[in-house]
Each structure stands twice: as C-alpha cells, then as structure tokens.
Amino acid sequence: MKNLLVLSTLFLLGLNSVSAKTLVVSDVDDTIKVTNVLNKISTVYNALFSTKAFVGMSTVYNGLNNPETKIVYVSGSPELVRSKINKLLRVNNFPQQENLILKPSKQDTFDYKFSVISKLINKENPDDVILLGDDTEKDPEIFDALSKTYPEKIKSMHIHLIRNRQLPNNDKMNGFFTSIEVAGRELLNGKITSEVMSNTAKLIVAEKSSSKFYINYRYCPTEGRNEVEELKQKVTSQALINSLESVQAKTKTVCSEKEFQEELQVEWLQTTPWEN
C-alpha cells in the first residue's frame, strides 16, 4: 500500500497543474475503448492492437472539455500498454490525452482507483466531479464509495452497461448503453450543449461498425433503453427528441442484427459434425 501511494502521488504530480472547477475522471477499457475484458483472448488482442472506441464518446468528452475542466483517464491497465492507450486517445481525438494514470503492478484495483481518484479530488478541489466507468469489474462499487466520501463534490456517475449487472443503489449513478445517454444527462446538468448532444446522435446513427455499439455476445437492449425514453421526457427541444428517437431506432436495428448473428452461430454449432 505504501508503494501504491508513492506511485500514485508521482503520477498526479505529472498531470497538468491548472486547477479545475469540474473534474472528469474516466476509465478506459470497456468505458471508452472496445476491449471486452470479460474475454481474456479478446482483451489481450485489443490491448495490443486495437484503437477502436465506442461511437460518440470522444464527442461527449470534447463537449465536456473547456478551460475550467480537467479530464483524467484512470485505467487499471499496466504501464506497459501506455503507448497503446495514448494511441487510442490520439486516434479517436479524446481531449487532454496527457492526463493518463495507469495501475502499478500487482495492486488491488479497488484500492488503486479509490486512492488515485481521492487524491485527484483533494488536489483539484473542484466544484463538480463526473465519473465514468463500466460494469465489468469494480467501477460501480468504487464510484459508490467515492460518492459517499465526497457527497458534495460528485454530481454524476455514468456506468457503461456491458454485463448489465445490478448497480449500487445510488441516485447519482446511471447506466448507459450508448454515448447519447451520457450526453443527454450532462446536457441536463448544464455541462454540454445541445449541439454536442445532437452531433453525438448523428454519429451514432451514421456508424456502420456494430462493434462500436456493443461487445459481441454481451448485453444489447432491443427495446432502445428506458433511459433514452426518460431523456425524451426531459429535453425541451423537438430536434433533440427526434435525435433520441433516431438513436433508439438505430439501437434496435443493431441489436436485431446481433441477435440474428448469434442465432446463426448457434445453428452452425448445432449442425456442424464434430469429431470425437
């Protein structure tokens, strides 16, 4: 633990020293990067070779980015993949790419992330903190603990639903399937503009790669997400409502294609003659 604290401090000292009114802390794998950490083979391949990001996420992050906002990427990945993550951030035009913190080897992920994010909050003393992660490992529980430690600071927590597992009972924590849900909530929080939300929707609708929507054989909601329905009731612009409906239609199409492909795979496995 002592080594962890020393290493974390050294990492933080290397970050941009401009104080922030808003602190955005984001995980990388399966939050912004298509990694599939639940599949060891996919994880190794994606860590070494892939720079594929989920559609619209960089647009949302750039929408959050301004002179009074600091964005820090806190990943559980080891130092040896730093150049790969830097490439991911660069290729996909994520802002404040220099603010990347990676986990020291053999450290517990919960302790590491809780300690690093706590240090960031104490150092920056921001008015608002926005946390983004996913449900494949410990982000929901880490964020829940942080929100109880800093209840006045942490204003929103976004969890990418890969497994669609039960999240902690926390009013500030919301799951998301696509970037439009993050964009919509932060629009309502006054952190991004309607133009950013609209551009996010356009990117989602135009995206042709289904793998940028979901990880194969993981959760894919055919109903188009209840969260999007809730956003439609809260936004006041008809143009934004139309954008949300377009995303819903796209989601249903993509998920239907996924189900069709999975059915084909099952049928192939059932009919292929395997030798003993």
Side-chain angles (χ1 to χ4, degrees):
M1 179 62 72
K2 182 178 179 180
N3 289 338
L4 170 61
L5 296 175
V6 171
L7 286 167
S8 297
T9 301
L10 290 174
F11 277 126
L12 296 179
L13 289 175
L15 297 180
N16 185 342
S17 60
V18 177
S19 296
K21 289 189 176 180
T22 299
L23 174 65
V24 178
V25 181
S26 174
D27 178 51
V28 176
D29 292 314
D30 288 336
T31 299
I32 61 176
K33 179 182 180 180
V34 181
T35 304
N36 195 4
V37 298
L38 297 177
N39 184 309
K40 292 183 179 179
I41 296 175
S42 295
T43 299
V44 171
Y45 175 84
N46 290 328
L48 295 175
F49 304 110
S50 177
T51 58
K52 189 179 293 183
F54 288 102
V55 58
M57 291 302 286
S58 67
T59 301
V60 174
Y61 284 42
N62 278 292
L64 291 168
N65 189 33
N66 62 63
E68 295 184 335
T69 296
K70 176 173 286 186
I71 300 174
V72 183
Y73 306 93
V74 178
S75 172
S77 296
E79 183 65 30
L80 63 88
V81 297
R82 177 176 292 274
S83 64
K84 302 298 182 182
I85 296 178
N86 282 335
K87 184 176 181 181
L88 166 86
L89 298 174
R90 183 177 70 255
V91 167
N92 294 284
N93 193 34
F94 280 93
Q96 301 194 39
Q97 301 164 16
E98 69 280 4
N99 293 341
L100 171 62
I101 303 174
L102 300 177
K103 186 177 78 170
S105 61
K106 299 181 181 180
Q107 296 293 340
D108 177 76
T109 299
F110 189 103
D111 291 342
Y112 153 70
K113 282 195 172 182
F114 185 90
S115 174
V116 167
I117 297 173
S118 293
K119 284 179 176 294
L120 281 166
I121 294 172
N122 292 332
K123 176 177 179 288
E124 297 297 332
N125 192 28
D127 296 332
D128 304 323
V129 178
I130 301 170
L131 304 176
L132 298 103
D134 63 83
D135 68 349
T136 61
E137 296 188 271
K138 299 181 180 180
D139 286 344
E141 290 70 30
I142 295 167
F143 292 179
D144 183 53
L146 285 164
S147 73
K148 292 173 181 175
T149 306
Y150 303 96
E152 301 302 318
K153 297 287 185 184
I154 295 177
K155 300 300 171 65
S156 59
M157 298 175 284
H158 305 280
I159 299 294
H160 195 182
L161 299 174
I162 303 297
R163 296 173 59 188
N164 196 33
R165 68 179 174 88
Q166 185 69 40
L167 300 180
N169 184 18
N170 191 312
D171 291 340
K172 297 178 182 179
M173 185 179 296
N174 290 284
F176 71 94
F177 176 65
T178 69
S179 52
I180 195 65
E181 294 148 87
V182 181
R185 294 188 189 112
E186 292 307 331
L187 172 69
L188 296 174
N189 291 338
K191 296 299 183 181
I192 68 169
T193 66
S194 58
E195 181 180 9
V196 171
M197 182 175 169
S198 178
N199 289 339
T200 302
K202 290 176 182 177
L203 285 170
I204 292 172
V205 173
E207 181 56 53
K208 295 181 180 180
S209 173
S210 61
S211 62
K212 292 186 178 181
F213 286 88
Y214 59 84
I215 293 173
N216 286 337
Y217 314 115
R218 299 298 175 197
Y219 176 61
C220 190
T222 55
E223 76 277 8
R225 295 300 310 159
N226 293 332
E227 286 84 350
V228 178
E229 280 295 327
E230 293 175 5
L231 287 172
K232 284 164 59 179
Q233 305 304 315
K234 294 178 180 179
V235 298
T236 57
S237 164
Q238 185 60 48
L240 290 180
I241 293 173
N242 293 342
S243 294
L244 289 166
E245 290 177 345
S246 296
V247 171
Q248 284 182 308
K250 179 73 173 188
T251 301
K252 291 177 182 179
T253 299
V254 171
C255 288
S256 295
E257 290 173 353
K258 175 192 175 185
E259 291 173 352
F260 176 69
Q261 292 298 325
E262 289 177 345
E263 288 174 3
L264 285 180
Q265 185 187 55
V266 171
E267 181 179 350
W268 180 79
L269 289 172
Q270 290 174 342
T271 57
T272 300
W274 299 99
E275 295 182 359
N276 292 329

